């Protein structure tokens, strides 16, 4: 079963790239779990027609040669609703695992519903000024059950900073900007109700320590996976999602049949009634990403 956590590091690549098939086959970046082929910000207006032709050729290749389960899940990010409607008419669209929906919000949800095929998984992106309005986010959350398969809500950090006329500095995490407060608010709006949130990109790809620090905070905010824009970031994300042996033993103890209402394990008091969801998530992380070395 496809889950938000199983996507791991989600690599964004322009739809104009000539090596997309090598990535999809798993020959390039074999550790990659999910891929978004971008027809929006990553390409210019002049490149759109070539990008669509390149994408259609890729989808035909996917249909002709069955991919193995361990190869990355493939999503596309259309430029806007009109382009999504056009792509949804392609016969080859069923070769995809899903679609990222840009500039998603309460005002556009009905338009998206009208054009999208129900067979795919969808990753709506929260990246407009409306995302700062928790009243609108509550209404959006209440409307989402009527939508097609929502795999995860992606948080568009750079677009949200742009709303504030800001850019993330290279010496601090996103959580040290106003977006940190927003992520905490979005977590409160969506996570308790069964929706998953994916963490924004860290565009300073040469800053390994910065990315590691941000990943720690992503996890503490309950986020599932992270957008990446450079292949060097893939393994760093996946390592961050590994669990240590103590976490695993504590989670197993919490979920064990007949566990006490409160018990001690490795110096911490555990309470299955309040720690069960954490424990379930730890076990899923262990299954998907393994144990820390």
């Amino acid at each position: 079963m496809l889950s938000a956590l199983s996507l791991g590091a989600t690599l964004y690549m322009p739809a104009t790239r000539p090596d997309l098939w090598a990535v999809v086959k798993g020959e390039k970046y074999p550790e990659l779990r999910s891929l978004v082929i971008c027809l929006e910000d990553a390409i210019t207006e002049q490149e759109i027609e070539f990008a669509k032709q390149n994408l259609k050729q890729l989808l035909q290749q996917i249909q002709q040669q069955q991919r193995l389960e361990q190869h990355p899940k493939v999503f596309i990010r259309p430029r806007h609703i009109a382009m999504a409607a056009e792509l949804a008419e392609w016969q080859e669209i069923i070769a995809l695992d899903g679609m990222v929906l840009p500039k998603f919000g309460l005002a556009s949800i009905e338009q998206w519903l009208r054009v999208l095929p129900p067979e795919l998984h969808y990753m709506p992106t929260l990246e407009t000024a409306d995302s700062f309005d928790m009243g609108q986010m509550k209404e959006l959350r209440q409307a989402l059950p009527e939508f097609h398969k929502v795999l995860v809500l992606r948080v568009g950090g750079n677009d949200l900073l742009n709303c504030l006329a800001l850019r993330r500095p290279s010496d601090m995490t996103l959580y040290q900007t106003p977006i940190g407060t927003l992520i905490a608010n979005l977590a409160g709006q969506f996570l308790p109700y069964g929706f998953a949130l994916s963490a924004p990109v860290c565009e300073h790809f040469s800053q390994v320590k910065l990315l590691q620090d941000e990943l720690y905070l992503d996890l503490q905010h309950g986020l599932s996976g992270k957008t990446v824009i450079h292949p060097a970031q893939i393994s760093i994300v996946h390592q961050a999602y590994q669990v240590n042996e103590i976490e695993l033993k504590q989670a197993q103890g919490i979920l064990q049949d007949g566990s006490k209402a409160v018990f001690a394990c490795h110096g911490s008091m555990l309470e299955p009634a309040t720690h069960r969801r954490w424990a379930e998530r730890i076990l899923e992380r262990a299954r998907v990403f393994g144990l820390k070395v």
Side-chain angles (χ1 to χ4, degrees), residues 132-198:
F132 293 91
D133 183 338
M134 288 303 110
Q136 286 210 38
M137 291 300 97
K138 179 180 179 181
E139 290 187 57
L140 179 64
R141 185 195 78 224
Q142 293 170 336
L144 279 175
E146 302 301 320
F147 203 73
H148 303 317
K149 301 175 190 173
V150 176
L151 180 58
V152 63
L153 295 159
R154 307 195 74 82
V155 180
N158 284 333
D159 284 277
L160 292 167
L161 281 171
N162 187 48
C163 292
L164 306 175
L166 296 174
R167 181 195 172 195
R168 180 240 294 270
S170 61
D171 60 351
M172 63 176 61
T173 72
L174 198 62
Y175 293 91
Q176 294 167 281
T177 75
I179 304 306
T181 300
L182 176 61
I183 290 174
N185 288 337
L186 291 172
Q189 279 292 339
F190 290 99
L191 299 188
Y193 301 93
F195 295 100
L197 293 172
S198 178

Side-chain angles (χ1 to χ4, degrees), residues 112-114 116-120 122 144-150:
W112 284 112
L113 267 171
R114 285 196 293 268
L116 296 175
E119 298 83 9
L120 301 181
Y122 294 101
L144 279 175
E146 302 301 320
F147 203 73
H148 303 317
K149 301 175 190 173
V150 176

Side-chain angles (χ1 to χ4, degrees), residues 23-24 57 86 135-136 152 175 177 190 201 207 239 267 276:
V23 176
V24 171
Q57 181 181 12
E86 176 188 352
Q136 286 210 38
V152 63
Y175 293 91
T177 75
F190 290 99
V201 69
Q207 304 286 340
Q239 287 167 12
R276 176 169 295 276

Side-chain angles (χ1 to χ4, degrees), residues 177-243:
T177 75
I179 304 306
T181 300
L182 176 61
I183 290 174
N185 288 337
L186 291 172
Q189 279 292 339
F190 290 99
L191 299 188
Y193 301 93
F195 295 100
L197 293 172
S198 178
V201 69
C202 179
E203 70 267 33
H204 305 299
F205 57 83
S206 65
Q207 304 286 340
V208 174
K209 179 63 163 55
L210 179 69
L211 176 59
Q212 290 171 330
D213 290 346
E214 188 162 297
L215 281 160
Y216 175 80
L217 293 169
D218 290 341
L219 284 164
Q220 301 316 308
H221 283 77
L223 305 190
S224 299
K226 192 172 187 69
T227 298
V228 298
I229 55 169
H230 193 284
Q233 296 176 312
I234 298 169
S235 62
I236 300 171
V237 173
H238 292 172
Q239 287 167 12
Y241 273 81
Q242 292 174 340
V243 303

Side-chain angles (χ1 to χ4, degrees), residues 115-136:
V115 304
L116 296 175
E119 298 83 9
L120 301 181
H121 290 89
Y122 294 101
M123 300 195 287
T125 307
L126 305 176
E127 56 186 349
T128 66
D130 293 345
S131 304
F132 293 91
D133 183 338
M134 288 303 110
Q136 286 210 38

